[in-house]
Amino acid sequence: MEDDAPVIYGLEFQARALTPQTAETDAIRFLVGTQSLKYDNQIHIIDFDDENNIINKNVLLHQAGEIWHISASPADKGVLATCYNKTSDSRVQACAAVWRMPKELESGSHESPDDPASTAQTLELLCHLDNGAHGNVACVVWEPMGDGKKVISLADSHILLWDLQASSSQAVLASSAALEGRGQLRFTAGRWSPHHNCTQVATASDTTLRGWDTRSMSQIYCIENAHGQLVRDLDFNPNKQYYLASCGDDCKVKFWDTRNVTEPVKTLEEHSHWVWSVRYNHSHDQLVLTGSSDSRVILSNMVSISSEPFGHLVDDDDVSDPEEHHTEKSKEPLQDNVIATYEEHEDSVYAVDWASADPWLFASLSYDGRLVINRVPRALKYHILL
């Protein structure tokens, strides 16, 4: 069907950082950060017009350095955080900062500048996070559903909780903790759980997953050797409070119940190279996206461990007419399966993410700067909804 066709956008620069604009719930909008050593780096604001199936873009200059990670404020459309490399005294340092985009670009405008050579606008620096005092910053995560005042940064072996004050122009270190043990202890990824009143964060370091309580900055759980090799990414199930997905260089995606960490609840082995990114759908948590260095994006239906293992949440309407449902609804959970494999990329897919404003739409980004926007197949969408 025509509508399920992918829409492809080329950035002209290498890129690995992607985020939906979390606070934007009407327009479909993604932010992409570039990695260029020769030219000024950029953030591309990608607005997808789903009625006409076209992409509109605006470009912001990010002169601080090449962007390794980008995340958007859950509360303020105009605010975002980047982790970037800066070179000083021939030493490369990974730093993090909070920025504001120009006011006129905050909302999905759906209009690209007419003049293709129109000048890119610059980001306003709100504050630096730490400026390298604790080491190289791997990522910055915002408190979900929060007011955009709390962020966590992971820097080498430190987990740091910041309060953004005075309209985010000042970052105050509220508390911190550090990994302890032998060897090169370094965080690679982190996610803030939307459950437990937003008091839990999960981190990845080497092959280990850890849970942290943000109130005491103490460790709640630890999954050693969660993967055979480096863990690249993790994500929380938005609807099941103890469920966590992780992926890594062992080509696997694993699903965990953090109350019992001896073994994963489920393992996916569909990719043939490192898995860089895993994301649950925000509304329908059986839909799980993964992106890998095998250049593929895989959409999986993990219905057996979802919040709707029998295909839907049982509600009172189903009980009202037992005759009607008796024959077709067996009590067996539905089977997990791969819904689709997307092969529009020719390079490592470093990031996948769902749109904030449309639960059926997702983006993937490969290192060659190709951004692809796809939709969940229509037949499956109606199967889930009806």
Side-chain angles (χ1 to χ4, degrees), residues 244-259:
L244 176 69
S246 62
C247 62
D249 288 0
D250 57 2
C251 313
K252 293 176 184 170
V253 181
K254 297 188 179 185
F255 297 89
W256 306 90
D257 179 338
T258 57
R259 293 165 300 185

Side-chain angles (χ1 to χ4, degrees), residues 31-33 42-45 58-60 62 67 70 80 82 123:
L31 308 177
V32 183
Q42 304 171 344
I43 288 174
H44 288 227
I45 302 175
N58 284 284
V59 176
L60 294 169
H62 182 280
I67 302 168
I70 185 168
L80 57 126
T82 60
L123 287 159

Side-chain angles (χ1 to χ4, degrees), residues 216-228:
S216 57
M217 274 310 201
S218 56
Q219 209 168 280
I220 333 168
Y221 54 85
C222 180
I223 311 173
E224 289 185 359
N225 302 313
H227 286 263

